[in-house]
Amino acid sequence: MYILGINAFHGDSSACLLKDGRVICASEEERFRRIKHWAGFPSQAIKFCLEDAGISINDVDYVTISRNPKANFSKKILHTLKNRVGLKSIFDRFMNSKKVSSVKGQLSTIFNVSKSDIRAKIHNIEHHRSHIASSFFASKFKKSAILSIDGFGDFTSTMTAIGTDNNIEVLDSVNYPHSLGVFYTTVTQFLGFPNYGDEYKVMGLAPYGEAKYLKELSSIIEKTADGFFVLNKKYFKHFKEGVAMDWENGEPTVDFLYTKSWEELFWKSRKKGDTLEQFHIDLATSVQRFTEDVIFHILTKLHEKTGLDTICITGGVAQNSVANGKILANTPFKNMYVPSAGHDAGTSIGSALYLYNHILGKERMPEIKTAYFGRKASEKEIISCLEKEGVKYEKVEDDILFDRVSTRLKEGGVIGWFQGRAEFGPRALGHRSILVDPSRKDAKDLLNEKIKRRESFRPFAPSILEEYVKEYFIQNEEVPFMEKVFDIKKEKHSIIPAVTHVDGTGRLQSVNKEISPRYYRLISEFYNKTGIPILLNTSFNENEPIVNKPEEALNCFLRTKMDMLVMENIIIER
Ligand SMILES: [Fe+2]
C-alpha cells in the first residue's frame, strides 16, 4: 500500500512516500526549487518520491495533506466576527483553503492525467494531528505524552495528546491567535531579523546577553493555571489584522506582527543590518529564557495530567534545540523523542502516518532513526556533471578516500562532503555537509570568509561519534538529528573551540555506525589521526537551500573557497 503524504501551501512544503507504513523517501520542495522554505504545491518533491520508488501516480492508494480547512471552522468564524478581522485576511484564507481542497486537480496537472484517472483517496489531516503523528508514530514509545507547538496551523498553535500504540487521543489545544511561536517570531522581527525562519538567529544570539527583560515579557505573554498561556493582544497585530503571509515567488514572507506598544515597552525596533546593541542581545536572551520557561510550564502540567514519563515533541517551536536540550532536566519527563523534521515539512510524513496508524488502524513500524530520505546521486550522474563542466576529478577506493579526506581535514582543509541520500529536515547530518577540524580556533572566521558569510555570533555544530558523547558533554543522550543543545564539559572547551558556543554549549549530532556508516568512518579516521572524535559540521550551502544534486554541490564548491569536494568516491581538489 502506497501513501503519498504532502505539506502544501504552507511554509516548507514537502512530500513523502510510505510503503506499507514505512517511510521510503521524503524531501522538502525547497531542495528542488532552490528557494528557501518554498511554500506552494510540492510538485517536484512528489515527482521525486514516485520516481525514486519506481511507481506512477496510479499506484498510489492514498494521498494525505496536512491541512484541513474544515477544522475549527466555527472558531474561525467567531474570531473573525469578534475581532472584526480585515477582509483581505479572510479572502486570503478562503483562497488558500480552496487550494488545499483541490489536491486532485493539482496532481492531475502535474502528471497530465484527468482527475477521474487518479484513483487515490484524498485525506485532509488537521495540521497539529499531523505534527503529533510525525513524532509519536516515528518514536519507539508504545505510550507517550505528546506536545505539538508552533506558530499556528488550522487555527491552532498548541496541542497536547496521549499516544497509545496506533492511537492518538487529543487532550487540549490552544487556538489562534494565542501562540508561543507567534510570540517568538514577533520578537525575532522586532530584533531586525525579518525573514521567514530567522528565529534560530535569536536563539544563537541569546547566550551573549543577560535575561534582563523577563518582567516586561510577562506582560506580553502570560502563563495560565491550566498549563498553557495567553498573549496580550495590545502587543500583536494579528488579533485584528490576521497574519499577512505571502509566497508569491515561493518564499514565504510574514508582515511585521508587533504593534507600537513594543516600542513603548522597550525601545525602538532594530532594522535589518543595524548594529546589534547590548539591549537587542539582552532581549534575545530574555525571549529565549522566557520561551523555555513557558515550554517547561506546559510540559510539567502535561506530565501531571498524563502521569507518563515519555514525551514526543514536534512543531516549529520544537526546532528550538536549546530548549529541547533542557527539557529532561527541567520537567519530570525521563525520555523524549523529536523527529528530524519537527517543523512543517515533517507534517507530510505525519499526515501519512496518521492515516496509516490511527485511521486505518495498521500496526506501527519500527522507530524512524534516520533522516536520510532525500535524493541520491549515482556515480554516473556525478561523473557526467563533472565532465560537462570540464572539472578534473579522481575516483578512489574507500581506503584511500577516507585516509585522504581525514588527512586534509587535519591539515586545515574545508571539505564539501556529499554522500548518499539527502537529509529530510533542516539539518545537514553528514550527507550534505561542509566539514572542518573542530580544534581550529580560527574555524569560524575561516568558514565565514571562505563560504558562509553569515552573522559572526552564530555558532557551528559538532558531529560526534556516539560512544564519545559522555566524554565531551555533561548530558548523555542520543541526538541523531542535532535537535538538542548540550553543555560541553569545561575541560573540553579548549580542545574543540570551533564548536563550543560562547556559553560553553554545542548543538551536537551523535553519529551512529549503522545509520551513518560512511560519516562514522570518516570521523573515526579523523579521530585516529588527531585523538578528537568530532568534526565541525555545517550545512552544504551558501545562502540557499542545502545542495541536493551534484551540480549544486559543484557550483557551491566553484564559487566559494572550499578546498576539497568529495561526492561518493570522487574527489575534486583545489
Ligand atoms: Fe506547524
Side-chain angles (χ1 to χ4, degrees), residues 132 146-147 158-162 169-173 228 298 302:
I132 280 174
I146 315 163
L147 170 66
T158 309
M159 192 177 272
T160 55
I162 292 184
E169 179 201 345
V170 172
L171 297 176
D172 281 305
S173 59
F228 293 104
I298 298 169
L302 181 60

Side-chain angles (χ1 to χ4, degrees), residues 10 127 131 150 152 344:
H10 206 94
H127 184 78
H131 270 310
D150 68 4
F152 58 91
D344 289 331

Side-chain angles (χ1 to χ4, degrees), residues 135-149:
S135 190
F136 175 65
F137 290 141
S139 79
K140 64 181 174 200
F141 306 137
K142 289 266 166 267
K143 191 164 186 169
S144 178
I146 315 163
L147 170 66
S148 172
I149 183 160

Side-chain angles (χ1 to χ4, degrees), residues 212-231:
K212 285 183 178 169
Y213 302 108
L214 297 176
K215 200 169 146 254
E216 285 81 353
L217 291 176
S218 69
S219 65
I220 296 173
I221 176 169
E222 191 191 334
K223 288 184 278 182
T224 51
D226 59 354
F228 293 104
F229 55 85
V230 287
L231 298 185

Side-chain angles (χ1 to χ4, degrees), residues 233-279:
K233 67 176 173 187
K234 178 176 150 191
Y235 291 97
F236 299 93
K237 277 190 182 168
H238 69 291
F239 276 77
K240 257 198 175 338
E241 296 173 24
V243 178
M245 202 175 156
D246 210 347
W247 48 81
E248 226 168 280
N249 303 312
E251 187 174 358
T253 53
V254 182
D255 269 4
F256 288 140
L257 292 153
Y258 54 85
T259 61
K260 278 213 158 66
S261 301
W262 282 81
E263 302 201 333
E264 286 157 21
L265 189 64
F266 294 108
W267 193 44
K268 66 178 193 326
S269 60
R270 175 178 171 264
K271 298 285 162 283
K272 189 180 176 180
D274 281 359
T275 319
L276 271 167
E277 293 178 31
Q278 196 55 44
F279 153 73

Side-chain angles (χ1 to χ4, degrees), residues 4 6 9 29 33 41-48 50-51 57 102-114 118:
L4 174 69
I6 57 177
F9 307 118
E29 182 75 0
R33 303 266 182 169
F41 193 77
S43 53
Q44 299 196 27
I46 292 172
K47 279 185 182 166
F48 152 72
L50 299 189
E51 274 169 32
I57 190 69
S102 68
V103 174
K104 262 198 182 169
Q106 298 278 351
L107 290 172
S108 73
T109 312
I110 298 170
F111 294 105
N112 204 14
V113 291
S114 75
I118 295 173

Side-chain angles (χ1 to χ4, degrees), residues 359-374:
I359 296 178
L360 301 176
K362 302 275 186 191
E363 278 207 16
R364 301 252 308 264
M365 289 292 133
E367 179 185 359
I368 298 182
K369 289 183 167 184
T370 171
Y372 307 129
F373 290 122

